[in-house]
Amino acid sequence: MSSESAITKHQPAAIEPPHPTRSRFDIRHHARIVQRKLTTRKGWFGDYDYAWLCSPVLPFSIGPKKLNPRRQPPFYGIDDELPLVLAMTSGLQHALTMLAGLITPPIVFASTLALDAQMSAYMISASLIGCGILSLVQMSRIKLWKGYYLGTGLLSVVGTSFATLSTADAIFNALYANGTCPSVTAADGTVTRGACPDAYGMVLGTSLICSFLEMGLSFIPPRTLQRIFPPMVTGTVIVMIGASLIDGAHQSSSDSAFFRLSPIIITELFGSPFLKNASIIVGLVVGCIVAGAAGYIDGSTVTSAPAITFLWVHTFKIGVYPPAILPMLAVYVSTTMEAIGDITASAEVSRLKVTGDDFDSRIQGGVLSDGLGGFISALFTVTPLSIFAQNNGVIALTRCANRAAGRWCCAFLILFGVLGKVSAFFLAIPNSVLGGVTTFLFASVVVSGLRVLSYMEYTRRDRFILAAAMSFGIGDLLMPNVFTYLFDGVPNPNLGLQGLFDSITIVLSTPFLVSGLVAVVLNLIIPREAKEDEGVEVEQVDQAPEASDQAQKA
């Protein structure tokens, strides 16, 4: 079953993208639109049912027969005229949906490298500002040459790629192990890491030069990329990214898992559509209230933080760590795979066709914007970015795929980043609270990967490749140091050879990299089965339960 047929059969009929006849530079026309929006009630509020958006689900209305069912609000396409209040409300929902995913990577990086509070708060602000600016680029649709574009032209927002987290962790471990970063070993064997901002600068510099790979991949026909990276490969990579991140998040949280997740569960049960889109933020707020009442929140980071901040308030020494080049190239390959799937999902929930030249140009423009965003984000002191899939759920729930809402989302993200006190507040969240909520967030990544894997046909060939790839990835999770000493037996390697060994070790020690590599190679070299054989196999599988039932009756 293809990914296209698996989703579109549940979607409303696709509508053609608008074909405006007016020039985008018609100043009078745009001035009249702005005047109408600001001076009329319809321009401010429109016909949207805001009561539906903010109404909680009452306990007695749960069940197959709900009381007083509401009519769903109208659907707003990517370029439809959108009321101002709805645009701001939807934009805020998108921003809140992204917030937890945007603040988590810089907090993890800063904690791993033992950076001080001021530097950590700046990294959060830079992530929010950078994602807001580059999301504006991704939502644009700038025509370049010969049918090539920059951006998807959809409500596509970008955030820090989770694929970078596990890869950067392996790079940081290597830099501390070889003495590039300082560390102190106590008499009892406990290792205390010192601050190492230069390690983050090396990740940024390596990311900057590797971003050209994704830019180059954007000019390969999307159908060719989909053959090289089918759902079997993409789903495996996403599952292993989430699984490896869950391990670290769970270790930093407390044991009361039910208490940490209960606000999220209650919000999902009884919350309004607006709150459901921000359920993770609700979990953070409730956790902070409890932690603050118990005296676990230190407000000194908030009081000492600047009121206003921006990019480049703090900088990092940009460098390139040669052993990290190969792993970082693999990260950009994984972000390319994620981008193709997320753009497809965004087009579907926006009620646009997912076939044809127009759709292919959206994928090409989205992947190019992702690669260019990786280059620019390094200059913004932010690690590589990728399209966020969570926002497709907001579009489906609110029935608003309009890019005006996306632009308001970017405005809110930039505002949150510029206000230094906001970033400092996120930094003050205790690890027990943040770890519990991010465990749920990373588990959602695993679920996204499982959803992609559901598009597989699960032939014998597919099952074999998936099992082989998972065996390496899960093996790395269970025994993370299994490849650490792989090349220790090589006597006196020179500097170049040692760098190659370190690069291979990082790839083999990162679960999603090694499993993705195995899946790609096996998918390319193992021949596909004949259609007749697949039909016989499926028929035999379908007959197996009937045979079992007959045996039990006998």
Side-chain angles (χ1 to χ4, degrees), residues 356-376:
D357 294 339
D358 183 75
F359 172 69
D360 288 347
S361 70
R362 293 186 188 278
I363 288 184
Q364 175 272 316
V367 174
L368 177 59
S369 180
D370 246 18
L372 183 63
F375 181 91
I376 298 176

Side-chain angles (χ1 to χ4, degrees), residues 33 77 92 153 211 288 452 474 492 549:
I33 292 178
L92 180 60
S211 63
C288 287
V452 174
I474 295 176
N492 302 320
D549 292 341

Side-chain angles (χ1 to χ4, degrees), residues 47-101:
D47 300 324
Y48 196 83
D49 188 358
Y50 294 95
W52 169 84
L53 185 65
C54 302
S55 298
V57 178
L58 301 178
F60 57 79
S61 66
I62 299 176
K65 296 182 179 180
K66 293 185 178 181
L67 301 178
N68 301 323
R70 288 182 178 273
R71 179 177 62 87
Q72 286 194 324
F75 180 84
Y76 290 91
I78 57 174
D79 288 320
D80 291 346
E81 189 171 342
L82 195 65
L84 281 173
V85 173
L86 179 59
M88 291 185 285
T89 304
S90 298
L92 180 60
Q93 287 185 88
H94 282 283
L96 294 178
T97 301
M98 299 172 63
L99 209 52

Side-chain angles (χ1 to χ4, degrees), residues 395-433:
I395 296 174
L397 187 61
T398 62
R399 301 170 62 83
C400 179
N402 196 277
R403 289 188 293 175
R407 297 184 185 103
W408 277 103
C409 167
C410 298
F412 281 118
L413 291 178
I414 296 172
L415 177 63
F416 294 156
V418 169
L419 299 177
K421 300 291 185 182
V422 175
S423 300
F425 169 75
F426 292 135
L427 188 63
I429 298 175
N431 286 337
S432 57
V433 176

